[in-house]
Amino acid sequence: MVIETERIGTNLVVELDGELDLETSPAFRTVVEDRLTQYDTIKHLILDLKKVNFIDSSGLGVILGRFKRLSQQGGKLSAINVSPPIRRIFELSGLLKIMDIYENRQQALDRF
């Protein structure tokens, strides 16, 4: 998995390429936690999932963990460029109750 991050104001955009699963979830957690610590003014995490083709329960768990951290600081979690199969995984897992999905980066940034 390739993980790229970009800080835009109080937003952290995380672009993922590959699968978010048991093998790659620890790297995702480490990178995102490092950035959230480094940029202590981050309030919103935007996951760009355009190049993600699979998420398992480990991936869902690591996303939920970042939501919990952000929500304690008054922040939000959202996702962009979500494919229908990934959206279905989010629906079944209940993640859509705690996060918003936007079509693209600009829509998500305009929201925050």
Side-chain angles (χ1 to χ4, degrees):
M1 163 163 288
V2 176
I3 305 167
E4 294 184 19
T5 64
E6 180 180 1
R7 179 183 176 196
I8 303 173
T10 60
N11 302 290
L12 179 65
V13 179
V14 179
E15 185 176 331
L16 305 172
D17 185 351
E19 298 181 351
L20 186 55
D21 57 17
L22 181 61
E23 184 178 324
T24 60
S25 291
F28 171 85
R29 178 185 305 111
T30 299
V31 169
V32 174
E33 284 297 317
D34 286 350
R35 296 308 179 278
L36 292 174
T37 300
Q38 179 183 4
Y39 307 123
D40 62 351
T41 59
I42 296 296
K43 293 290 183 191
H44 310 290
L45 177 62
I46 301 169
L47 302 176
D48 186 340
L49 303 177
K50 183 177 185 177
K51 297 177 183 176
V52 174
N53 53 23
F54 178 76
I55 298 178
D56 71 3
S57 60
S58 300
L60 295 172
V62 77
I63 291 171
L64 182 61
R66 296 333 85 199
F67 164 77
K68 287 180 180 178
R69 176 178 175 169
L70 286 168
S71 65
Q72 291 172 348
Q73 301 169 343
K76 302 237 182 227
L77 171 67
S78 61
I80 59 174
N81 300 316
V82 180
S83 68
I86 300 298
R87 180 184 287 266
R88 182 73 178 140
I89 290 169
F90 286 166
E91 287 173 3
L92 293 172
S93 69
L95 272 180
L96 290 183
K97 294 177 183 174
I98 62 168
M99 68 187 290
D100 295 319
I101 293 181
Y102 299 97
E103 293 298 316
N104 57 53
R105 181 183 290 208
Q106 194 58 52
Q107 284 182 350
L109 291 172
D110 287 348
R111 176 75 168 102
F112 304 115

